[in-house]
Amino acid sequence: MRHNLLSSLLAAVCLLAGTVRSTAAAPEGLALPTTGNRNRSDLRSEFMSYTIRATAAAADRNADWNYLPVEQFRETADSTGTHYSFSFVPPEFWADRIIILHTEGSRNSHFVTVNGTEIGSARDSGVPSEFEIQSCVRPGAANSVVITVPNDTDEPESALADSRPALTGCFLYAQPRLRIRDYTVGTILNEDGSGTIYAEVAVENATASADTFTLCLDVFTPKGKVEDFLTWPVTLNGHSLDTLHVEMPVCGAAQNLWSASSPRLYTGNLFVRHGDRILEYIPFRTGFGQTSFGNGQIFRNGQPIRLRIARYDASTPKALQADIRRLKKEGYDTLWPHRPQPYWFYDLCDELGMYVIDQAAIGTAYRADDRRTGGTPSNDPAWLKEYMNRTQAMYYRSRNHVCIVGRSLGEASGNGYNLYKTYLWLREADPDLPVIYAGAEGEWNSDLCITPETDAQNQ
């Protein structure tokens, strides 16, 4: 009985993004496993570092020599789990760069080793995890990488378990040691019809000595014309990080608003220049589409919008494009997935015009009505870190996409302390967007009373 209860607890919190292992000896002594992620670079916007302007502008990873996809694994299994291994030889120009292993979609927590050295681990497989592995990589030689996916519990999988194939988003890339560490991009529409594109850019000097470089920003209108080009000098001590707030005025922004019916996108690049050399390009897209909420309604650019919602989880980019076009013809303008989606899901919703209510990979029916501590995991502080990590990962994954009009705390999973805390964190991180929780049942941690099955909002 003790084993069955523990297995139920484990399955309860992991219905959407794979099983999470616990080292607990008994439920009353529940201890979440530590991750040991000294090399993790999670909880940042998802982006790709390009070496060529043309491939950055086209967002064509496969054409850029900085991208090294992992397409084949050697798969073995034992009593501890399934081991996916591959080897790679780093390109010559990766010497003295920060080498990053990107993993996603393992359908379980997973652990990473490089050349026999443990690098770190990830628990939420529905969002990207990135590992800085350069300290273990041998230049000019074959390097062995093993991604270990622990065995599931003996509980049956949830009907909502991730159906995507394992490790679909595994690749390597590199960044220079003078680099863009992270960024947030957004827009402001002014009363006179002009606008501002702004970015908060975390820049890093990962070398041992102080250095000076230039942060550059260029922006193109929805018709592909150059809007402007600006530069900012940066001086950083060795092994240091700073955040710059940069802005670019935009004329006529009111004539190029983004909405689901008219998805007009501005494109641009953040890039780092050291002397006469461009070290990396980070492309982005954004739109003038301010979202707010109040009195039970969502407003877009000051006007109330009536959402037609479809529940949807992406399978392939080609299928998503066809489904968006079909759903728009049927009158839908909003997708509400069960879990965080691949990066191309948000890209295509930006491009083709679909609002998105993004959702954290949280979903459990286990003792959902038991609000005692130790009852529903949603009201058990021992699981707060897991709930918070999944909520934050969802937020950082998609925060730069103009299609996002709301965020969901997860599937209906009871209610309590953990979901109160994740609600408060999201409201502070982005006060403009509503936080929605279908399981709130009238409590304060949901800004709108809509559910995934709501066909029309604001009735």
Side-chain angles (χ1 to χ4, degrees), residues 399-414:
R399 62 177 170 168
N400 287 326
H401 287 273
V402 69
C403 63
I404 305 296
V405 294
R407 297 186 179 93
S408 167
L409 299 181
E411 295 292 295
S413 305

Side-chain angles (χ1 to χ4, degrees), residues 26 45 88 91 95-96 137 147 161 166 179 231 246 270-271 291 328 340 343-344 360 402 404 412 443 448 458:
S45 304
F88 74 99
D96 199 36
V137 170
I147 302 172
R179 65 167 174 168
T231 64
V246 300
L270 291 161
F271 55 101
T291 301
K328 287 172 76 75
Y343 76 92
W344 41 260
V402 69
I404 305 296
E443 291 196 68
L448 299 174
N458 307 331

Side-chain angles (χ1 to χ4, degrees), residues 258 263 265 285 314 316-322 324-325 335 342-354 356 401 403:
W258 188 99
L265 288 171
R285 299 192 297 182
T316 66
K318 184 177 180 179
L320 175 61
Q321 291 183 59
I324 287 178
R325 293 188 175 99
L335 301 182
Y343 76 92
W344 41 260
F345 169 88
Y346 306 99
D347 284 349
L348 286 170
C349 288
D350 286 342
E351 179 182 331
L352 299 178
M354 267 287 184
V356 173
H401 287 273
C403 63

Side-chain angles (χ1 to χ4, degrees), residues 37-91:
N37 289 337
R38 61 188 180 276
N39 298 303
R40 281 277 291 280
S41 54
D42 287 8
L43 300 184
R44 64 173 179 170
S45 304
E46 185 176 14
F47 60 85
M48 182 66 193
S49 174
Y50 292 86
T51 57
I52 304 171
R53 173 178 283 276
T55 56
D60 189 351
R61 301 180 178 189
N62 290 299
D64 196 282
W65 57 38
N66 195 40
Y67 177 70
L68 193 61
V70 180
E71 298 171 333
Q72 291 186 333
F73 297 92
R74 178 175 177 268
E75 183 177 337
T76 59
D78 56 27
S79 60
T80 64
T82 304
H83 310 279
Y84 299 89
S85 60
F86 67 94
S87 63
F88 74 99
V89 177

Side-chain angles (χ1 to χ4, degrees), residues 54-211:
T55 56
D60 189 351
R61 301 180 178 189
N62 290 299
D64 196 282
W65 57 38
N66 195 40
Y67 177 70
L68 193 61
V70 180
E71 298 171 333
Q72 291 186 333
F73 297 92
R74 178 175 177 268
E75 183 177 337
T76 59
D78 56 27
S79 60
T80 64
T82 304
H83 310 279
Y84 299 89
S85 60
F86 67 94
S87 63
F88 74 99
V89 177
E92 289 185 11
F93 83 96
W94 282 11
D96 199 36
R97 289 169 69 93
I98 299 169
I99 301 174
I100 298 168
L101 170 66
H102 177 112
T103 66
E104 184 183 346
S106 72
R107 295 182 297 183
N108 205 333
S109 55
H110 53 279
F111 303 83
V112 176
T113 60
V114 177
N115 293 326
T117 299
E118 181 182 344
I119 292 295
S121 61
R123 291 170 60 83
D124 181 358
S125 62
V127 293
S129 292
E130 295 196 328
F131 304 87
E132 296 181 4
I133 66 173
Q134 66 276 359
S135 62
C136 299
V137 170
R138 297 187 293 261
N143 292 267
S144 172
V145 178
V146 180
I147 302 172
T148 298
V149 178
N151 290 327
D152 291 338
T153 66
D154 57 0
E155 291 292 313
E157 284 193 0
S158 162
L160 296 175
D162 198 335
S163 59
R164 281 176 280 170
L167 293 171
T168 54
C170 186
F171 59 89
L172 296 119
Y173 69 103
Q175 285 191 273
R177 291 189 177 271
L178 301 175
R179 65 167 174 168
I180 294 171
R181 178 66 179 78
D182 196 7
Y183 75 94
T184 302
V185 66
T187 61
I188 299 171
L189 186 64
N190 303 319
E191 291 184 1
D192 63 0
S194 67
T196 301
I197 292 177
Y198 68 88
E200 303 285 342
V201 187
V203 288
E204 181 179 12
N205 177 3
T207 71
S209 304
D211 209 337

